[in-house]
């Protein structure tokens, strides 16, 4: 059971906008930044969004993040077939003194 | 650019010790701003942070409660790498293991090592 809660699946059609939620608590999301990772099959997670809403260089501006209270969201606009993969949220947990993750959301592009 | 290269066996027998190493290029294991983490991923447990080591005038370690009694993470300054040892493994420890560098987020990951615990 993951500390952060994500929906197991999400879907959309090409060109559509989809959002993926991530729910936590006051000891993690409520007290620190949220980061998002994209994981392609057979590869390590890749940083997609850091500090709630910042994009590393090379990440398209179709990807955006937001945070409010103990929840956060990842939005993907202009959905493309290559966006079909797994997405994870992560945050530092002060109570656990460690990194915690969401269970992952598998995005399907219909 | 920081790169992490993992090495170690992919098969470990039950009750034995799992040992993996993560070689660092582009940074120092003794960095005063980074921490060096081990994370694993399995279908049943998802992504699970195991622990970290970091240097801030002296060496510090932090471990997940779930593995605290069985885990050791050790830096090796002479080889600029860090290692994971997980004792008394069971089939439940079968997972892909990743090393990762963090500052305020986990920004660099190793390639991953599938470790299977089986006799």
């Amino acid at each position: 059971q993951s500390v952060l809660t994500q929906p197991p699946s999400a879907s959309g059609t090409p060109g559509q906008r989809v959002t993926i939620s991530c729910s936590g608590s006051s000891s993690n999301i409520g007290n620190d930044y949220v980061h998002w990772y994209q994981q392609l099959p057979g590869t390590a997670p890749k940083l997609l969004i850091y500090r709630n809403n910042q994009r590393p260089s090379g990440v398209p501006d179709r990807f955006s993040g937001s945070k409010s209270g103990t929840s956060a969201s990842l939005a993907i606009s202009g959905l493309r077939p290559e966006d079909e993969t797994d997405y994870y949220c992560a945050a530092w947990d002060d109570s656990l003194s460690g990194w915690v993750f969401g269970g992952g959301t598998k995005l399907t592009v219909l | 650019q920081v790169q992490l290269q993992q090495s170690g066996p992919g098969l470990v027998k039950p009750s034995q010790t799992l040992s993996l190493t993560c070689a660092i290029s582009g940074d120092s294991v003794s960095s005063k701003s980074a921490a060096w983490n081990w994370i694993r991923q399995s279908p049943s447990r998802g992504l699970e942070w195991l622990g970290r080591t970091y240097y801030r005038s002296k060496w510090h370690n932090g471990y997940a409660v779930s593995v605290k009694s069985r885990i050791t993470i050790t830096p090796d300054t002479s080889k600029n790498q860090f290692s994971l040892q997980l004792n008394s493994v069971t089939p439940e420890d079968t997972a892909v293991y990743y090393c990762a560098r963090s500052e305020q987020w986990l920004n660099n990951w190793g390639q991953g090592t599938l470790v299977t615990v089986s006799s």
Side-chain angles (χ1 to χ4, degrees), chain A residues 35 37 39 43-44 47 50-51 88 92 97-99, chain B residues 37 39 41 47 49 52 98 102 104-106 109-110:
Chain A
H35 318 289
Y37 296 84
Q39 186 176 32
T43 69
L47 184 66
Y50 66 96
R51 284 185 180 170
Y88 295 88
W92 180 261
S97 295
W99 291 100
Chain B
N37 303 264
I39 294 158
Q41 184 176 29
L47 283 165
W49 177 80
R52 64 177 184 164
Y98 295 100
S102 65
Q104 295 183 39
W105 53 89
L106 294 154
W109 296 64

Short mmCIF file of all heavy atoms in Angstrom, two decimals, chain A residues 35 37 39 43-44 47 50-51 88 92 97-99, chain B residues 37 39 41 47 49 52 98 102 104-106 109-110:
data_model
loop_
_atom_site.label_atom_id
_atom_site.label_comp_id
_atom_site.label_asym_id
_atom_site.label_seq_id
_atom_site.Cartn_x
_atom_site.Cartn_y
_atom_site.Cartn_z
N HIS A 35 6.90 15.86 -6.63
CA HIS A 35 7.64 15.66 -7.88
C HIS A 35 6.96 14.55 -8.66
O HIS A 35 6.36 13.63 -8.06
CB HIS A 35 9.09 15.30 -7.57
CG HIS A 35 9.69 16.12 -6.46
ND1 HIS A 35 9.99 17.46 -6.61
CD2 HIS A 35 9.99 15.80 -5.18
CE1 HIS A 35 10.46 17.93 -5.46
NE2 HIS A 35 10.49 16.94 -4.58
N TYR A 37 7.20 11.67 -11.94
CA TYR A 37 8.10 10.88 -12.76
C TYR A 37 7.32 10.14 -13.83
O TYR A 37 6.18 9.70 -13.60
CB TYR A 37 8.87 9.87 -11.90
CG TYR A 37 9.77 10.55 -10.89
CD1 TYR A 37 9.27 10.97 -9.68
CD2 TYR A 37 11.10 10.82 -11.20
CE1 TYR A 37 10.07 11.65 -8.78
CE2 TYR A 37 11.92 11.48 -10.30
CZ TYR A 37 11.39 11.90 -9.09
OH TYR A 37 12.20 12.56 -8.20
N GLN A 39 7.65 6.80 -16.29
CA GLN A 39 8.44 5.58 -16.42
C GLN A 39 8.01 4.81 -17.65
O GLN A 39 6.89 4.28 -17.70
CB GLN A 39 8.32 4.70 -15.17
CG GLN A 39 9.25 3.50 -15.20
CD GLN A 39 9.21 2.69 -13.93
OE1 GLN A 39 8.19 2.58 -13.26
NE2 GLN A 39 10.34 2.07 -13.59
N THR A 43 12.52 0.78 -18.05
CA THR A 43 13.49 1.85 -17.77
C THR A 43 13.25 2.43 -16.39
O THR A 43 12.21 2.22 -15.77
CB THR A 43 13.41 2.97 -18.81
OG1 THR A 43 12.18 3.69 -18.65
CG2 THR A 43 13.51 2.43 -20.22
N ALA A 44 14.23 3.20 -15.92
CA ALA A 44 14.10 3.87 -14.63
C ALA A 44 13.14 5.05 -14.74
O ALA A 44 12.98 5.62 -15.83
CB ALA A 44 15.47 4.34 -14.16
N LEU A 47 12.53 12.09 -14.26
CA LEU A 47 11.92 13.28 -13.67
C LEU A 47 11.14 14.06 -14.71
O LEU A 47 11.69 14.43 -15.75
CB LEU A 47 13.02 14.15 -13.05
CG LEU A 47 12.55 15.40 -12.31
CD1 LEU A 47 11.76 15.03 -11.05
CD2 LEU A 47 13.75 16.28 -11.94
N TYR A 50 9.35 18.89 -11.08
CA TYR A 50 9.92 18.99 -9.75
C TYR A 50 9.39 20.24 -9.06
O TYR A 50 8.92 21.18 -9.70
CB TYR A 50 11.44 18.97 -9.79
CG TYR A 50 12.08 20.16 -10.48
CD1 TYR A 50 12.54 21.24 -9.76
CD2 TYR A 50 12.24 20.17 -11.87
CE1 TYR A 50 13.12 22.33 -10.39
CE2 TYR A 50 12.82 21.26 -12.51
CZ TYR A 50 13.27 22.33 -11.77
OH TYR A 50 13.85 23.41 -12.39
N ARG A 51 9.46 20.26 -7.74
CA ARG A 51 8.96 21.38 -6.95
C ARG A 51 7.55 21.79 -7.37
O ARG A 51 7.30 22.96 -7.65
CB ARG A 51 9.90 22.57 -7.06
CG ARG A 51 11.17 22.44 -6.26
CD ARG A 51 11.97 23.71 -6.34
NE ARG A 51 13.20 23.63 -5.58
CZ ARG A 51 14.17 24.54 -5.64
NH1 ARG A 51 14.05 25.59 -6.42
NH2 ARG A 51 15.25 24.39 -4.91
N TYR A 88 4.25 8.52 -11.81
CA TYR A 88 4.34 8.40 -10.36
C TYR A 88 4.55 9.78 -9.72
O TYR A 88 5.32 10.59 -10.24
CB TYR A 88 5.51 7.52 -9.95
CG TYR A 88 5.38 6.08 -10.37
CD1 TYR A 88 5.83 5.65 -11.61
CD2 TYR A 88 4.81 5.13 -9.52
CE1 TYR A 88 5.70 4.33 -12.01
CE2 TYR A 88 4.68 3.81 -9.90
CZ TYR A 88 5.12 3.42 -11.15
OH TYR A 88 4.99 2.11 -11.54
N TRP A 92 8.93 14.00 -0.09
CA TRP A 92 9.65 13.65 1.12
C TRP A 92 8.65 13.62 2.27
O TRP A 92 7.81 14.51 2.40
CB TRP A 92 10.75 14.68 1.40
CG TRP A 92 11.52 14.37 2.64
CD1 TRP A 92 11.35 14.92 3.88
CD2 TRP A 92 12.56 13.40 2.78
NE1 TRP A 92 12.22 14.36 4.77
CE2 TRP A 92 12.98 13.42 4.13
CE3 TRP A 92 13.17 12.52 1.89
CZ2 TRP A 92 14.00 12.59 4.60
CZ3 TRP A 92 14.18 11.70 2.36
CH2 TRP A 92 14.59 11.74 3.69
N SER A 97 10.84 10.23 7.50
CA SER A 97 12.22 10.60 7.16
C SER A 97 12.71 9.84 5.93
O SER A 97 13.81 9.27 5.92
CB SER A 97 13.18 10.35 8.34
OG SER A 97 12.85 11.19 9.43
N GLY A 98 11.86 9.83 4.91
CA GLY A 98 12.23 9.13 3.68
C GLY A 98 11.32 9.56 2.54
O GLY A 98 10.33 10.25 2.72
N TRP A 99 11.69 9.12 1.36
CA TRP A 99 10.89 9.40 0.17
C TRP A 99 9.68 8.46 0.12
O TRP A 99 9.81 7.28 0.42
CB TRP A 99 11.73 9.22 -1.09
CG TRP A 99 12.79 10.26 -1.24
CD1 TRP A 99 14.13 10.14 -0.94
CD2 TRP A 99 12.61 11.60 -1.70
NE1 TRP A 99 14.78 11.31 -1.18
CE2 TRP A 99 13.88 12.24 -1.66
CE3 TRP A 99 11.51 12.34 -2.15
CZ2 TRP A 99 14.06 13.56 -2.04
CZ3 TRP A 99 11.69 13.66 -2.53
CH2 TRP A 99 12.96 14.26 -2.48
N ASN B 37 20.70 7.27 -2.65
CA ASN B 37 19.56 6.47 -2.24
C ASN B 37 19.52 5.11 -2.92
O ASN B 37 20.03 4.95 -4.03
CB ASN B 37 18.27 7.20 -2.61
CG ASN B 37 18.15 8.59 -2.02
OD1 ASN B 37 17.54 8.79 -0.97
ND2 ASN B 37 18.72 9.58 -2.69
N ILE B 39 16.34 2.44 -3.94
CA ILE B 39 14.88 2.34 -4.11
C ILE B 39 14.63 1.03 -4.83
O ILE B 39 15.43 0.62 -5.68
CB ILE B 39 14.37 3.52 -4.93
CG1 ILE B 39 14.56 4.84 -4.17
CG2 ILE B 39 12.91 3.34 -5.33
CD1 ILE B 39 14.58 6.06 -5.07
N GLN B 41 11.47 -1.58 -6.75
CA GLN B 41 10.15 -1.57 -7.38
C GLN B 41 9.71 -2.99 -7.67
O GLN B 41 10.43 -3.75 -8.31
CB GLN B 41 10.19 -0.75 -8.67
CG GLN B 41 8.84 -0.58 -9.35
CD GLN B 41 8.92 0.32 -10.57
OE1 GLN B 41 9.94 0.42 -11.24
NE2 GLN B 41 7.83 1.03 -10.86
N LEU B 47 6.89 1.38 -5.95
CA LEU B 47 8.17 2.02 -5.67
C LEU B 47 8.34 2.17 -4.16
O LEU B 47 7.47 2.73 -3.49
CB LEU B 47 8.26 3.39 -6.34
CG LEU B 47 8.53 3.40 -7.84
CD1 LEU B 47 8.23 4.77 -8.43
CD2 LEU B 47 9.97 3.00 -8.13
N TRP B 49 11.18 3.32 -1.22
CA TRP B 49 12.47 3.86 -0.81
C TRP B 49 13.04 3.00 0.31
O TRP B 49 12.34 2.67 1.27
CB TRP B 49 12.29 5.29 -0.34
CG TRP B 49 13.54 5.96 0.17
CD1 TRP B 49 14.55 6.51 -0.57
CD2 TRP B 49 13.90 6.15 1.54
NE1 TRP B 49 15.51 7.05 0.26
CE2 TRP B 49 15.14 6.84 1.55
CE3 TRP B 49 13.31 5.82 2.76
CZ2 TRP B 49 15.79 7.19 2.74
CZ3 TRP B 49 13.95 6.18 3.94
CH2 TRP B 49 15.18 6.85 3.92
N ARG B 52 19.26 5.79 2.48
CA ARG B 52 20.20 6.71 1.86
C ARG B 52 21.43 6.91 2.72
O ARG B 52 21.40 6.64 3.93
CB ARG B 52 19.53 8.06 1.59
CG ARG B 52 19.11 8.79 2.87
CD ARG B 52 18.53 10.16 2.57
NE ARG B 52 18.21 10.89 3.79
CZ ARG B 52 17.97 12.19 3.85
NH1 ARG B 52 18.00 12.92 2.75
NH2 ARG B 52 17.69 12.78 4.99
N TYR B 98 16.99 0.15 -7.72
CA TYR B 98 17.58 1.35 -8.33
C TYR B 98 18.41 2.11 -7.31
O TYR B 98 18.01 2.24 -6.15
CB TYR B 98 16.50 2.32 -8.82
CG TYR B 98 15.62 1.83 -9.93
CD1 TYR B 98 14.34 1.33 -9.69
CD2 TYR B 98 16.05 1.89 -11.26
CE1 TYR B 98 13.52 0.92 -10.72
CE2 TYR B 98 15.23 1.48 -12.31
CZ TYR B 98 13.97 0.98 -12.02
OH TYR B 98 13.16 0.56 -13.06
N SER B 102 19.82 12.32 -4.91
CA SER B 102 18.82 13.33 -4.59
C SER B 102 19.48 14.56 -3.99
O SER B 102 20.52 14.47 -3.35
CB SER B 102 17.77 12.77 -3.62
OG SER B 102 18.36 12.46 -2.38
N GLN B 104 17.02 18.08 -3.65
CA GLN B 104 15.66 18.32 -3.16
C GLN B 104 14.66 17.40 -3.83
O GLN B 104 13.48 17.41 -3.47
CB GLN B 104 15.28 19.78 -3.39
CG GLN B 104 16.13 20.74 -2.57
CD GLN B 104 15.69 22.18 -2.76
OE1 GLN B 104 14.50 22.46 -2.84
NE2 GLN B 104 16.65 23.09 -2.83
N TRP B 105 15.08 16.65 -4.79
CA TRP B 105 14.26 15.62 -5.44
C TRP B 105 15.20 14.55 -5.95
O TRP B 105 16.42 14.70 -5.99
CB TRP B 105 13.42 16.24 -6.58
CG TRP B 105 14.20 17.03 -7.57
CD1 TRP B 105 14.79 16.56 -8.71
CD2 TRP B 105 14.49 18.43 -7.53
NE1 TRP B 105 15.44 17.57 -9.36
CE2 TRP B 105 15.26 18.74 -8.67
CE3 TRP B 105 14.16 19.44 -6.63
CZ2 TRP B 105 15.71 20.04 -8.92
CZ3 TRP B 105 14.60 20.73 -6.88
CH2 TRP B 105 15.37 21.02 -8.02
N LEU B 106 14.62 13.43 -6.35
CA LEU B 106 15.39 12.31 -6.90
C LEU B 106 15.64 12.63 -8.36
O LEU B 106 14.76 12.45 -9.21
CB LEU B 106 14.60 11.02 -6.74
CG LEU B 106 14.39 10.57 -5.30
CD1 LEU B 106 13.14 9.71 -5.17
CD2 LEU B 106 15.62 9.81 -4.80
N TRP B 109 18.91 8.60 -11.71
CA TRP B 109 18.67 7.20 -11.35
C TRP B 109 19.64 6.29 -12.09
O TRP B 109 20.04 6.57 -13.22
CB TRP B 109 17.24 6.81 -11.76
CG TRP B 109 16.15 7.54 -11.03
CD1 TRP B 109 15.89 8.88 -11.08
CD2 TRP B 109 15.17 6.97 -10.16
NE1 TRP B 109 14.79 9.19 -10.29
CE2 TRP B 109 14.33 8.03 -9.72
CE3 TRP B 109 14.89 5.69 -9.71
CZ2 TRP B 109 13.25 7.83 -8.85
CZ3 TRP B 109 13.82 5.49 -8.86
CH2 TRP B 109 13.02 6.56 -8.43
N GLY B 110 19.97 5.17 -11.45
CA GLY B 110 20.71 4.13 -12.13
C GLY B 110 19.80 3.38 -13.09
O GLY B 110 18.60 3.65 -13.16
#
